Amino acid sequence: MLDMLFMYAKAFVVGGLICALGQILILKTQLTSARILVGYVTTGVILGALGVYKPVIDFAGAGATVPLTGFGYALAHGAMEAVETSGILGAFTGGVASAAGGIAAAVFFGYLAAILFKPRMKA
């Protein structure tokens, strides 16, 4: 029971720090949300290629895989694995295949939210 609570705490702290950094970037810079999103995904790819992000995932679990940096890591990791098995074609197909579950969940829950709630334009 204590191990599980410690695991939740690690995920909460790491995920919270990643999200807090994004909020700081929004408040303190002129960067748009879209640029921050692309920066996070690119950071996940770079940290994954350098071998730095895997230990973070091993430590924090969902706290590191759920934010956008985890999505970038999943794309890059999937592409690298697919290149080993399928050759150069794997560079184009592997990333999407490895992140397909997350992409499908985002589409499904976005659609569900649009059905349940009344979308409107910002004023």
Side-chain angles (χ1 to χ4, degrees):
M1 177 72 171
L2 193 57
D3 290 339
M4 188 170 62
L5 290 175
F6 186 62
M7 179 182 63
Y8 289 154
K10 290 189 300 186
F12 178 79
V13 168
V14 172
L17 287 173
I18 292 170
C19 294
L21 177 62
Q23 188 64 40
I24 291 168
L25 289 172
I26 289 171
L27 296 174
K28 300 293 183 183
T29 68
Q30 296 295 319
L31 293 173
T32 63
S33 299
R35 289 186 178 180
I36 293 169
L37 179 148
V38 170
Y40 267 181
V41 173
T42 305
T43 300
V45 170
I46 293 168
L47 292 176
L50 295 174
V52 175
Y53 206 68
K54 178 67 173 147
V56 176
I57 290 172
D58 292 341
F59 174 76
T65 59
V66 172
L68 289 169
T69 49
F71 179 69
Y73 171 81
L75 288 174
H77 186 70
M80 290 186 291
E81 284 184 348
V83 165
E84 291 176 7
T85 59
S86 303
I88 193 67
L89 184 61
F92 301 103
T93 61
V96 176
S98 71
I103 294 169
V107 170
F108 173 76
F109 288 113
Y111 181 74
L112 187 63
I115 289 174
L116 295 176
F117 303 100
K118 183 179 176 185
R120 60 177 181 222
M121 297 295 292
K122 286 186 175 182

